[in-house]
Amino acid sequence: MIDGCTFRDMAPTTEVSTHEALQLDLAVHDSIFGFVYQDGTMLKNVTVQNCTFSNVPRGIGSHSLLLNAYNENIKILNNTFKNIEQDCIVTLNYLDVEISGNTMTDCGVGVLVQSSKKSPTTIFTTTHNGTQTYTGTFVPNLKTVIKNNTIKTRYNKWNDSICGIKVFGRNITSPEYNETDHGTIPAGDYYISGVEISNNTITTAGYGIHLTNARDSVITGNSI
């Protein structure tokens, strides 16, 4: 439970910073987190509520994944995001998710839901610093609800796209190599299903709601 906290004024470490103010991420390789046991344990039962994020590169989330492993039962409720250079919320292989009642102002992307990445260097297939191959089961139905959020995006040159809510699945047509852990990402259709996007109010400098390789999802009652 992370309740009523303030995250603010996080200076970027480079010209384009990919650091989250609140990072929910992996212990699989020293390149992500050093000095911890790299056994690939995923997160469960995390609630972030009533918090304020201001003047940070990214708000909450993850930017690496362990293929076919999932963080479960994640709730992001009633938080305020102001002046977020990139993404307010990034869910990457999150299962059973509720994102509701949040206010996001002057951001690049409000909510980004992903089951894959464009770059193989952030998709891991091993744990223990590349010494143990991980085998899991692909779960396309992410059971994710994004509702009753107010999102206002603004243009900046660092984002791939400016978007209120983005859902990104990917069909990998040939195996890809991760030079960090020396693992190979198998070809496969890593699509997303089971996303409900409802009753959000979005004012956008780019896309309102953008889905890529998504199926069996519901978009209803949004104002863009």
Side-chain angles (χ1 to χ4, degrees):
M1 172 68 73
I2 301 166
D3 188 0
C5 299
T6 298
F7 302 81
R8 68 181 185 186
D9 302 331
M10 182 178 174
T13 55
T14 61
E15 189 177 38
V16 182
S17 178
T18 59
H19 290 82
E20 293 86 10
L22 177 55
Q23 185 176 356
L24 309 179
D25 231 315
L26 303 177
V28 295
H29 197 277
D30 281 344
S31 64
I32 303 174
F33 287 124
F35 310 106
V36 299
Y37 189 58
Q38 306 291 349
D39 65 345
T41 297
M42 305 305 287
L43 296 169
K44 290 186 178 182
N45 307 325
V46 177
T47 298
V48 183
Q49 64 183 21
N50 306 317
C51 295
T52 298
F53 298 80
S54 63
N55 303 321
V56 298
R58 293 180 176 177
I60 303 169
S62 309
H63 54 263
S64 298
L65 68 84
L66 179 61
L67 192 68
N68 298 333
Y70 298 86
N71 297 308
E72 297 183 42
N73 190 24
I74 311 295
K75 299 184 185 300
I76 302 174
L77 313 173
N78 304 317
N79 302 284
T80 300
F81 300 82
K82 300 177 182 177
N83 192 29
I84 310 300
E85 184 175 76
Q86 298 179 43
D87 312 288
C88 294
I89 300 169
V90 181
T91 73
L92 182 55
N93 270 18
Y94 288 15
L95 181 64
D96 290 320
V97 179
E98 180 183 349
I99 299 170
S100 67
N102 302 281
T103 300
M104 310 171 204
T105 305
D106 291 337
C107 60
V109 176
V111 181
L112 174 58
V113 177
Q114 296 176 297
S115 63
S116 186
K117 299 293 293 290
K118 293 181 179 179
S119 170
T121 59
T122 51
I123 302 174
F124 290 80
T125 59
T126 65
T127 62
H128 299 85
N129 285 325
T131 63
Q132 294 187 23
T133 299
Y134 177 83
T135 301
T137 301
F138 173 57
V139 180
N141 185 356
L142 297 184
K143 301 177 184 177
T144 293
V145 176
I146 305 168
K147 65 180 182 179
N148 301 327
N149 301 285
T150 301
I151 302 169
K152 183 178 181 180
T153 71
R154 69 178 182 190
Y155 174 77
N156 71 65
K157 62 183 179 181
W158 307 123
N159 284 80
D160 292 337
S161 65
I162 307 300
C163 192
I165 298 171
K166 185 172 183 177
V167 178
F168 180 81
R170 183 167 171 241
N171 188 359
I172 299 176
T173 57
S174 59
E176 297 181 346
Y177 177 69
N178 181 344
E179 60 186 18
T180 304
D181 74 342
H182 306 293
T184 299
I185 299 105
D189 190 357
Y190 300 96
Y191 67 92
I192 289 177
S193 68
V195 178
E196 176 192 329
I197 302 172
S198 62
N199 302 318
N200 301 282
T201 300
I202 300 170
T203 305
T204 182
Y207 294 102
I209 299 171
H210 183 188
L211 287 79
T212 299
N213 202 15
R215 310 177 190 174
D216 301 321
S217 295
V218 176
I219 303 173
T220 182
N222 302 283
S223 175
I224 301 173

